[in-house]
Amino acid sequence: MQMLSTTKEEKDGYPEKGIMAAPQLSIANLHLNFGGIQALKDVSLEVFDGEIFSIIGPNGAGKTSILNCLSGFYKPQKGKMIFADTDLAPLKPHQRSALGIGRTFQNIELFRNMTVLDNILLGRHLYLKSGVLSGGIYLGKTLKEEAQHRLRVEETIDFLEIEGIRKKLVSEIPYGLQKRVELGRALAAEPKILLLDEPATGMNLEETEDIVRFILDVNEEFGTTIILIEHDLMVIMDISKRIACIDFGIKIAEGTPEEVKSNPRVIEAYLGEES
Amino acid sequence: MEAQNQTIPKLLRKSARKFRDKVALREKDLGIWQNITWDEYYKNVKHFGLGMLALGLKKGDKISILSENNPEWLYADIGSQAVGGIVVGIYPTNVAPQVEYILDHSQSRFVVAGDQEQTDKVLEVKERLPGIKKVIIIDMKGLRRYRDPFLISFEEVLKLGEEGDKKVPKLFERLVDETETEDTALMVYTSGTTGKPKGAMISHRNAIASGVNLVRATPLKADDVIVSYLPLCHIAERSFSVIYPLVVGGITVNFAESIDTIQENIREIAPTIFFAVPRIWEKMHSGHIMRMRDATWLKRIADGWCLKIGMRIYHKKERKQNISVYWKAVHTMAHLCHFYPLQKHFGLNRARILYTGGAPTPPEVTRFFHSIGLKIRDLYGSTECTGICSVHQGEDIKVETVGKLAPGVELRIADDGELIFKSDGVFQGYYRNPEATAEAVKDSWYHSGDVGELTEEGHLKITDRKKDIIITSGGKNISPQEIENEFKASPYIRDAVVIGDGKKYLTALILIEYDNVGKWAEDNRIPYTTFKDLSQKPEVSELVSQITKEVNSNFAQVETIKKFTVLDKELDQDDDELTATQKVRRKIIVQKYRTVIEKMYQ
């Protein structure tokens, strides 16, 4: 795989890199409210290149809101988001994705009546250069371009081991595989950072193990930074390098899995106040 | 073989020189079939062999391969043999303790692992196996961070070999010249339905002789096409993917994209030579039955008619009767409307020679395929004979038998009915197990442990395994296999184990086919949750009881099943209940379900 060889050098430096370097993504004093509802209040986070960073918290704590701010679905009222030395605020969602921010959704957002292949091919959209006209007559450069993109898509299919469902409609395949296809679409865009919103929700144990393995593989093979939201704490504790806990829109803890696990405020948020 | 002192690497070199740019191997990768020519095949084998030499491989060292089928498996196989290594295949489905046993017993110094999953199994047991020097990994995905000098990628080994080749250009040719026909080429660990696996040592001479015998019995040709999809560590797939293509020279071997796409890939390739184990034929057959149950009434009737026509023609041909012009015309119609599309659906429309082997095939299943025009030939043999003893040859196919002896194979039948074979294919013995070797081979005759007879026409008929013959308390000898096969012909039954040794009557443990019975339950509005729940439904018991009645009607009174129990759990290889080839381990099952069995005799 061509892509593998380019990321390999980055990879080799990985374990030493990290904490000391400048953060790849920094969020500072983020405020988001919908009318009177305060969704996020003064949230600050720093995520470093190549790490797996998880956000946990009870339902409605504002986890997905952070991702939506990052990918541009929500406009925060206050705060700064810097990704790879670029201020995200003025950028539209597609510009952010061109910058290297990819994501998957909590509820699968695939085109159900298109094939797996076409859905993943859509992930290549931002790299398409040929216009409507040349695309329409499908000649020369366009043809070459199509082949290139198809190659990248096939590499993604190979990577996620979904060769068997390549030509199937998304609506025909089981839920667990749909989630994998969505990951595939995000990967096809070759993101530098991947925002995963509850990738293991609704899965059985085997499917969960599969998806976790793929998340780790993505992180290792391509050096992609991962921000993960997940309810399955076993998964989180197992694979995250650092974790932040959000409760009622406020960051109440941040640190390594051990630190977060033993933090009294986290325990309180999850188990309720001691009576 | 006309040339003396032939070996597998020498045969590859010969083919590479003769066929050069012709496609030798094909692998579907990134959605496209990639061609590998004979030249490239040989080059990769050469580089791998020299790479292993650079890693310190010495003559007689064992190399275990633990991987799914892919071209790299073949490069590692022949490459290692060329520089004097002995290759051991391990089932990729084996769990870590089973892998450990084979690595330990075979004293492997190198392991070729397919991917991260397989590598992890080796790493898990590495501490206890100090003899292993290096693990060579084919697919490095997910492993790039492991920075253990113990691990090396397949590509790096090829690179080492390439550099070595530049330094000493003629070295590999010389090493190939030095390979001897009597050298052990490979070791096959027989899964064995009893006890620990035994490592059968097979020489170049054994392998090539069995290839020559098979080709003389059923002529394969240079332009044939094969799909490699069964485990390569089994002697049958090893023969069809590695040995036979080299003995014939020029055959193209195809590798599926992944396990999930095998059926689709077979359809795309449409192989001309196809070998399958009974389980696969059974699945195709029951798949057809289930599909027809869901089809419209018109299709069902048409299917019934066509199969009747097919069966009639098949029976006429079997009895060598003349077929009238009218029936020929009707049959052609049925072929065009139904049989050909069906063959195409199975991916076997170009298949010239089809084999079944590895275990007995239910005759009903074989007849079904014959009636749709797919002439399945029973291939009987064992690892210890390097694959082949007898096979249906020419038009002479009797489904209850396993065909006539292959050329080059001699047979004796012992007083107790045991079949004893002699041929150049008879193996060198079990590795580090002289007692078992002495028991199996006496004066170069191989004692198969199978009981059987020759029919008047000279066809070999296998009754059962010698150990498995049931002697009831009434003193009657019964072959459980025949009864079990009748059960297996039903789409609802996956496996049956007939019991009754030393007992008054016969009973059976029944394993249902989950998918098909599940579908049947849905159609009949029987709600169920899990396999356990479904298997214990009274309706399912009733269904099995019906099937038992049908089976019983084919046998004499003493051979009928009086009681049965439906197992509430699928048999599993990980629980040692099945061999890696999915054969039932009778002893272990009888042990495990002792209380259930006792209940049937109360």
Side-chain angles (χ1 to χ4, degrees), chain B residues 168-223:
Chain B
V168 196
K170 288 281 168 218
L171 177 65
F172 188 74
E173 304 301 317
R174 217 173 56 228
L175 288 167
V176 170
D177 286 335
E178 280 170 17
T179 54
E180 294 280 337
T181 190
E182 294 300 337
D183 287 347
T184 304
L186 46 122
M187 269 163 39
V188 176
Y189 274 79
T190 57
S191 44
T193 45
T194 48
K196 286 273 183 201
K198 288 178 288 204
M201 296 184 286
I202 289 163
S203 67
H204 291 283
R205 188 169 73 104
N206 295 150
I208 292 165
S210 91
V212 171
N213 292 348
L214 178 108
V215 174
R216 274 163 74 193
T218 50
L220 310 188
K221 292 185 206 144
D223 49 4

Side-chain angles (χ1 to χ4, degrees), chain B residues 464 470 478-489 496 498 506-508 551-552 555 558-561:
Chain B
D464 213 324
I470 292 174
I478 291 163
S479 153
Q481 192 175 286
E482 280 178 51
I483 307 170
E484 285 161 9
N485 270 337
E486 287 287 331
F487 273 105
K488 280 195 249 176
V498 172
L506 296 185
T507 59
V551 170
N552 280 345
F555 291 97
V558 282
E559 291 172 320
T560 55
I561 303 294

Side-chain angles (χ1 to χ4, degrees), chain B residues 5-204:
Chain B
N5 207 9
Q6 205 50 276
T7 65
I8 295 171
K10 283 181 194 166
L11 282 179
L12 174 67
R13 183 171 62 187
K14 197 172 133 198
S15 269
R17 281 177 184 163
K18 187 169 167 196
F19 295 102
R20 310 203 71 98
D21 290 334
K22 187 171 182 276
V23 179
L25 311 171
R26 222 181 262 135
E27 184 188 28
K28 196 166 185 185
D29 189 27
L30 304 176
I32 296 168
W33 286 99
Q34 316 276 352
N35 293 335
I36 297 157
T37 63
W38 282 94
D39 257 346
E40 289 164 330
Y41 186 6
Y42 183 63
K43 201 179 80 200
N44 283 314
V45 164
K46 171 155 97 180
H47 290 164
F48 187 83
L50 292 173
M52 291 305 290
L53 219 54
L55 289 180
L57 179 122
K58 297 198 175 56
K59 196 169 164 72
D61 277 352
K62 319 291 182 301
I63 299 98
S64 284
I65 307 181
L66 179 59
S67 166
E68 308 285 353
N69 300 14
N70 46 37
E72 286 82 2
W73 211 112
L74 273 50
Y75 305 155
D77 187 9
I78 306 177
S80 304
Q81 287 175 22
V83 296
I86 299 171
V87 180
V88 182
I90 305 180
Y91 285 97
T93 48
N94 275 4
V95 288
Q98 295 165 332
V99 171
E100 183 185 356
Y101 178 80
I102 296 180
L103 291 180
D104 183 32
H105 187 269
S106 65
Q107 300 171 314
S108 291
R109 286 193 71 213
F110 297 93
V111 185
V112 178
D115 53 14
Q116 183 181 16
E117 189 190 343
Q118 308 298 348
T119 307
D120 282 344
K121 288 182 201 168
V122 184
L123 291 178
E124 209 180 311
V125 300
K126 151 192 176 196
E127 294 298 313
R128 294 190 290 278
L129 300 170
I132 298 180
K133 252 191 99 181
K134 268 218 170 10
V135 179
I136 298 123
I137 303 155
I138 297 173
D139 180 1
M140 286 296 281
K141 185 178 130 189
L143 283 166
R144 295 190 195 277
R145 285 252 302 273
Y146 290 32
R147 259 184 253 161
D148 197 331
F150 188 59
L151 308 176
I152 184 170
S153 77
F154 200 90
E155 271 168 62
E156 280 173 78
V157 176
L158 289 183
K159 231 177 259 162
L160 278 178
E162 201 178 344
E163 284 160 18
D165 190 35
K166 273 184 202 140
K167 265 185 233 150
V168 196
K170 288 281 168 218
L171 177 65
F172 188 74
E173 304 301 317
R174 217 173 56 228
L175 288 167
V176 170
D177 286 335
E178 280 170 17
T179 54
E180 294 280 337
T181 190
E182 294 300 337
D183 287 347
T184 304
L186 46 122
M187 269 163 39
V188 176
Y189 274 79
T190 57
S191 44
T193 45
T194 48
K196 286 273 183 201
K198 288 178 288 204
M201 296 184 286
I202 289 163
S203 67
H204 291 283

Side-chain angles (χ1 to χ4, degrees), chain A:
Chain A
M1 261 197 232
Q2 203 192 343
M3 201 179 140
L4 298 187
S5 53
T6 53
T7 48
K8 208 185 158 196
E9 292 95 62
E10 284 172 38
K11 192 76 257 111
D12 284 337
Y14 168 68
E16 295 77 31
K17 227 198 229 173
I19 306 301
M20 295 310 288
Q24 186 185 30
L25 171 76
S26 68
I27 299 172
N29 313 100
L30 206 61
H31 279 266
L32 175 73
N33 44 34
F34 305 105
I37 302 166
Q38 188 82 26
L40 294 173
K41 200 172 156 191
D42 204 22
V43 173
S44 299
L45 294 171
E46 285 188 334
V47 180
F48 295 91
D49 194 5
E51 75 175 336
I52 298 183
F53 185 90
S54 294
I55 304 174
I56 60 171
N59 275 331
K63 302 182 299 283
T64 304
S65 296
I66 297 178
L67 297 198
N68 282 341
C69 288
L70 283 173
S71 56
F73 287 116
Y74 294 162
K75 272 213 168 309
Q77 278 79 13
K78 247 183 15 197
K80 242 187 156 40
M81 296 177 292
I82 310 273
F83 174 70
D85 303 324
T86 314
D87 184 11
L88 292 179
L91 300 180
K92 297 208 167 66
H94 72 270
Q95 290 168 319
R96 297 185 193 202
S97 122
L99 207 58
I101 300 179
R103 77 169 290 183
T104 66
F105 296 85
Q106 198 170 341
N107 304 309
I108 295 167
E109 307 281 352
L110 291 167
F111 293 92
R112 294 179 57 77
N113 289 319
M114 277 164 47
T115 61
V116 168
L117 189 87
D118 288 342
N119 266 289
I120 298 178
L121 204 49
L122 256 174
R124 300 294 298 169
H125 178 254
L126 66 112
Y127 293 102
L128 285 181
K129 291 192 189 71
S130 55
V132 178
L133 199 63
S134 65
I137 47 179
Y138 199 62
L139 278 172
K141 259 190 205 159
T142 322
L143 209 62
K144 221 164 140 192
E145 203 190 349
E146 171 97 7
Q148 274 169 9
H149 292 306
R150 178 66 192 270
L151 177 66
R152 184 71 192 91
V153 168
E154 286 294 343
E155 283 170 359
T156 309
I157 288 175
D158 180 58
F159 185 82
L160 294 173
E161 295 165 19
I162 47 177
E163 298 95 340
I165 54 165
R166 182 189 283 132
K167 296 269 170 66
K168 287 224 164 102
L169 296 181
V170 167
S171 56
E172 291 173 350
I173 61 174
Y175 180 80
L177 282 177
Q178 292 186 10
K179 283 243 165 189
R180 216 190 284 179
V181 173
E182 208 188 22
L183 178 61
R185 183 178 60 185
L187 277 182
E190 294 174 44
K192 294 196 185 77
I193 191 167
L194 195 52
L195 317 177
L196 302 176
D197 198 351
E198 303 200 9
T201 309
M203 291 195 176
N204 62 33
L205 183 66
E206 202 188 323
E207 289 171 330
T208 305
E209 280 175 355
D210 274 350
I211 203 88
V212 167
R213 187 163 56 88
F214 285 119
I215 293 170
L216 285 172
D217 282 350
V218 168
N219 179 250
E220 280 184 14
E221 283 278 350
F222 310 124
T224 313
T225 313
I226 285 168
I227 299 185
L228 177 68
I229 293 182
E230 186 50 61
H231 272 298
D232 192 332
L233 284 182
M234 295 277 276
V235 170
I236 294 278
M237 295 299 166
D238 207 25
I239 69 173
S240 313
K241 191 162 183 200
R242 290 189 306 128
I243 298 173
C245 182
I246 308 282
D247 194 17
F248 294 111
I250 302 167
K251 184 175 85 178
I252 57 171
E254 188 181 337
T256 64
E258 285 73 31
E259 286 164 9
V260 171
K261 225 189 309 191
S262 52
N263 187 315
R265 292 186 67 187
V266 175
I267 297 170
E268 191 189 300
Y270 268 88
L271 302 175
E273 252 174 292
E274 268 179 67
S275 53

